[in-house]
Amino acid sequence: MSEKNQMTHFDAEGRAQMVDVSEKHSTIRIAKASGAVCMSLNAISAVKSGKTKKGDVCMVAELAGITGAKKTAELIPLCHPVELTSVNISTEIDEENRSILVTAIVKTTGRTGVEMEALTAVATTCLTIYDMLKSVDREMTIKDIMLLSKSGGSSGDFKRNTPEQFYTS
Protein backbone atom coordinates (compact mmCIF):
# COMPACT_ATOMS: atom_id res chain seq x y z
CA MET A 1 0.00 0.00 0.00
CA SER A 2 1.43 3.38 -0.94
CA GLU A 3 2.04 5.91 1.81
CA LYS A 4 -0.71 8.16 0.42
CA ASN A 5 -3.29 5.33 0.68
CA GLN A 6 -2.47 4.35 4.27
CA MET A 7 -5.04 4.91 6.98
CA THR A 8 -4.04 8.19 8.62
CA HIS A 9 -6.08 7.79 11.80
CA PHE A 10 -3.96 4.93 13.16
CA ASP A 11 -0.38 5.01 14.41
CA ALA A 12 2.27 2.34 13.68
CA GLU A 13 0.91 0.18 16.53
CA GLY A 14 -2.68 0.40 15.25
CA ARG A 15 -3.92 2.83 17.92
CA ALA A 16 -6.37 5.55 16.96
CA GLN A 17 -4.87 9.01 16.59
CA MET A 18 -5.94 12.45 15.47
CA VAL A 19 -4.01 13.35 12.32
CA ASP A 20 -1.29 15.96 12.85
CA VAL A 21 -2.16 18.88 10.55
CA SER A 22 0.35 21.34 12.02
CA GLU A 23 2.55 21.22 8.90
CA LYS A 24 -0.34 21.73 6.47
CA HIS A 25 -1.01 25.11 4.92
CA SER A 26 -4.31 26.88 5.42
CA THR A 27 -6.42 26.95 2.28
CA ILE A 28 -10.01 27.70 1.46
CA ARG A 29 -11.93 24.43 1.81
CA ILE A 30 -15.48 23.78 0.71
CA ALA A 31 -17.58 20.63 0.96
CA LYS A 32 -21.06 19.93 -0.36
CA ALA A 33 -23.19 17.01 0.82
CA SER A 34 -26.77 15.89 0.32
CA GLY A 35 -29.41 13.48 1.55
CA ALA A 36 -33.15 12.95 1.59
CA VAL A 37 -36.04 12.08 3.85
CA CYS A 38 -38.71 10.01 2.06
CA MET A 39 -42.21 10.18 3.54
CA SER A 40 -45.93 9.77 3.03
CA LEU A 41 -48.06 12.24 1.09
CA ASN A 42 -49.67 13.21 4.42
CA ALA A 43 -46.27 14.21 5.79
CA ILE A 44 -45.42 16.18 2.63
CA SER A 45 -48.80 17.95 2.90
CA ALA A 46 -48.12 18.80 6.56
CA VAL A 47 -44.77 20.35 5.63
CA LYS A 48 -46.25 22.33 2.75
CA SER A 49 -49.14 23.63 4.84
CA GLY A 50 -46.82 24.71 7.65
CA LYS A 51 -49.32 23.23 10.09
CA THR A 52 -47.28 20.78 12.13
CA LYS A 53 -47.32 20.57 15.91
CA LYS A 54 -43.67 21.62 16.12
CA GLY A 55 -43.67 24.55 13.68
CA ASP A 56 -41.93 25.22 10.35
CA VAL A 57 -40.26 21.88 9.65
CA CYS A 58 -37.74 23.04 7.05
CA MET A 59 -36.67 26.18 8.91
CA VAL A 60 -36.09 24.34 12.18
CA ALA A 61 -34.30 21.48 10.40
CA GLU A 62 -32.01 23.91 8.56
CA LEU A 63 -31.07 25.57 11.87
CA ALA A 64 -30.39 22.13 13.37
CA GLY A 65 -28.14 21.31 10.41
CA ILE A 66 -26.06 24.43 11.05
CA THR A 67 -25.73 23.42 14.69
CA GLY A 68 -24.76 19.88 13.65
CA ALA A 69 -21.98 21.19 11.41
CA LYS A 70 -20.62 23.31 14.27
CA LYS A 71 -20.61 20.33 16.68
CA THR A 72 -19.05 17.72 14.38
CA ALA A 73 -15.79 17.45 16.33
CA GLU A 74 -17.82 16.70 19.48
CA LEU A 75 -19.59 13.81 17.76
CA ILE A 76 -16.89 12.23 15.57
CA PRO A 77 -13.94 11.33 17.82
CA LEU A 78 -11.02 11.93 15.43
CA CYS A 79 -12.32 15.06 13.69
CA HIS A 80 -10.47 18.30 14.31
CA PRO A 81 -12.43 21.23 15.67
CA VAL A 82 -12.77 23.48 12.63
CA GLU A 83 -13.55 27.18 12.57
CA LEU A 84 -16.35 27.29 10.02
CA THR A 85 -16.68 30.43 7.92
CA SER A 86 -20.00 29.49 6.32
CA VAL A 87 -22.70 26.83 6.62
CA ASN A 88 -25.57 26.90 4.14
CA ILE A 89 -28.37 24.35 4.41
CA SER A 90 -31.17 24.11 1.87
CA THR A 91 -34.26 21.94 1.91
CA GLU A 92 -36.48 21.32 -1.08
CA ILE A 93 -39.81 19.52 -1.14
CA ASP A 94 -39.89 16.94 -3.95
CA GLU A 95 -43.58 16.06 -4.11
CA GLU A 96 -43.18 13.66 -7.03
CA ASN A 97 -40.78 11.46 -5.04
CA ARG A 98 -42.42 12.21 -1.66
CA SER A 99 -39.14 13.51 -0.27
CA ILE A 100 -37.47 16.49 1.29
CA LEU A 101 -34.07 16.93 -0.32
CA VAL A 102 -31.34 18.36 1.87
CA THR A 103 -28.11 20.01 0.71
CA ALA A 104 -25.33 21.46 2.87
CA ILE A 105 -22.39 23.59 1.75
CA VAL A 106 -19.74 24.18 4.41
CA LYS A 107 -16.69 26.44 4.10
CA THR A 108 -13.57 27.19 6.10
CA THR A 109 -10.09 28.56 5.68
CA GLY A 110 -7.92 26.08 7.50
CA ARG A 111 -5.57 23.11 7.59
CA THR A 112 -8.19 20.37 7.34
CA GLY A 113 -11.30 19.81 5.26
CA VAL A 114 -14.97 20.15 6.10
CA GLU A 115 -16.39 17.00 4.50
CA MET A 116 -17.47 15.58 7.87
CA GLU A 117 -19.08 18.88 8.82
CA ALA A 118 -21.12 18.90 5.60
CA LEU A 119 -22.18 15.27 6.09
CA THR A 120 -23.06 15.88 9.74
CA ALA A 121 -25.08 18.95 8.75
CA VAL A 122 -27.12 16.85 6.29
CA ALA A 123 -27.61 14.02 8.78
CA THR A 124 -28.72 16.41 11.52
CA THR A 125 -31.11 18.18 9.17
CA CYS A 126 -32.63 14.85 8.07
CA LEU A 127 -32.96 13.62 11.66
CA THR A 128 -34.69 16.85 12.65
CA ILE A 129 -37.16 16.50 9.78
CA TYR A 130 -37.90 12.98 11.03
CA ASP A 131 -38.33 14.19 14.61
CA MET A 132 -40.69 16.97 13.60
CA LEU A 133 -42.87 14.71 11.43
CA LYS A 134 -42.85 11.41 13.33
CA SER A 135 -46.34 12.07 14.68
CA VAL A 136 -47.56 12.12 11.06
CA ASP A 137 -45.40 9.33 9.58
CA ARG A 138 -43.18 6.92 11.54
CA GLU A 139 -42.23 5.06 8.35
CA MET A 140 -40.10 7.89 6.95
CA THR A 141 -36.75 6.82 5.54
CA ILE A 142 -33.52 8.81 5.67
CA LYS A 143 -31.40 7.91 2.68
CA ASP A 144 -28.57 8.70 0.33
CA ILE A 145 -26.46 10.89 2.62
CA MET A 146 -23.33 11.51 0.59
CA LEU A 147 -20.48 13.84 -0.18
CA LEU A 148 -21.11 15.53 -3.52
CA SER A 149 -17.94 17.56 -3.81
CA LYS A 150 -15.02 19.03 -1.93
CA SER A 151 -12.30 21.49 -2.81
CA GLY A 152 -9.10 22.72 -1.21
CA GLY A 153 -6.29 20.96 0.56
CA SER A 154 -3.44 18.75 -0.60
CA SER A 155 -5.65 15.84 -1.69
CA GLY A 156 -7.21 18.02 -4.37
CA ASP A 157 -10.76 18.40 -5.52
CA PHE A 158 -13.46 15.72 -5.59
CA LYS A 159 -16.75 15.69 -7.48
CA ARG A 160 -19.18 12.76 -7.31
CA ASN A 161 -19.83 11.19 -10.69
CA THR A 162 -23.53 10.46 -10.06
CA PRO A 163 -26.23 13.06 -10.57
CA GLU A 164 -27.47 14.89 -7.48
CA GLN A 165 -31.17 14.33 -8.18
CA PHE A 166 -31.75 10.58 -7.99
CA TYR A 167 -33.95 10.16 -4.92
CA THR A 168 -36.79 7.70 -5.03
CA SER A 169 -39.18 6.62 -2.35
Side-chain angles (χ1 to χ4, degrees):
M1 179 182 298
S2 75
E3 191 172 311
K4 185 160 177 90
N5 292 332
Q6 289 180 354
M7 300 291 287
T8 57
H9 286 81
F10 297 97
D11 66 14
E13 288 79 42
R15 291 187 311 261
Q17 68 177 3
M18 183 181 264
V19 175
D20 183 356
V21 296
S22 59
E23 299 298 318
K24 289 185 172 187
H25 298 288
S26 287
T27 62
I28 295 172
R29 296 162 185 266
I30 303 169
K32 182 177 181 181
S34 67
V37 183
C38 302
M39 62 192 66
S40 68
L41 288 175
N42 284 345
I44 289 286
S45 294
V47 173
K48 286 181 67 178
S49 73
K51 294 181 180 171
T52 65
K53 292 179 182 179
K54 295 185 178 184
D56 184 329
V57 171
C58 291
M59 181 188 68
V60 173
E62 290 169 9
L63 288 172
I66 292 168
T67 301
K70 292 166 37 174
K71 294 194 171 278
T72 300
E74 295 174 36
L75 299 169
I76 312 295
L78 300 178
C79 280
H80 291 84
V82 177
E83 182 180 337
L84 303 178
T85 57
S86 175
V87 178
N88 183 295
I89 312 286
S90 65
T91 53
E92 175 187 345
I93 298 171
D94 179 354
E95 250 183 296
E96 183 178 331
N97 292 306
R98 297 188 339 236
S99 300
I100 297 178
L101 310 177
V102 177
T103 304
I105 300 172
V106 180
K107 298 179 184 179
T108 191
T109 300
R111 298 172 186 234
T112 189
V114 286
E115 297 94 280
M116 294 307 300
E117 286 75 9
L119 289 162
T120 302
V122 169
T124 306
T125 304
C126 290
L127 288 166
T128 302
I129 291 168
Y130 185 96
D131 179 56
M132 294 189 72
L133 292 171
K134 67 186 178 209
S135 66
V136 178
D137 181 5
R138 291 203 185 267
E139 292 188 5
M140 288 177 286
T141 303
I142 296 171
K143 59 190 281 186
D144 300 327
I145 295 175
M146 68 185 79
L147 182 67
L148 298 174
S149 62
K150 75 101 175 161
S151 63
S154 60
S155 67
D157 295 349
F158 164 81
K159 184 166 173 56
R160 181 171 286 281
N161 292 323
T162 56
E164 292 179 30
Q165 301 293 331
F166 59 90
Y167 303 102
T168 58
S169 50

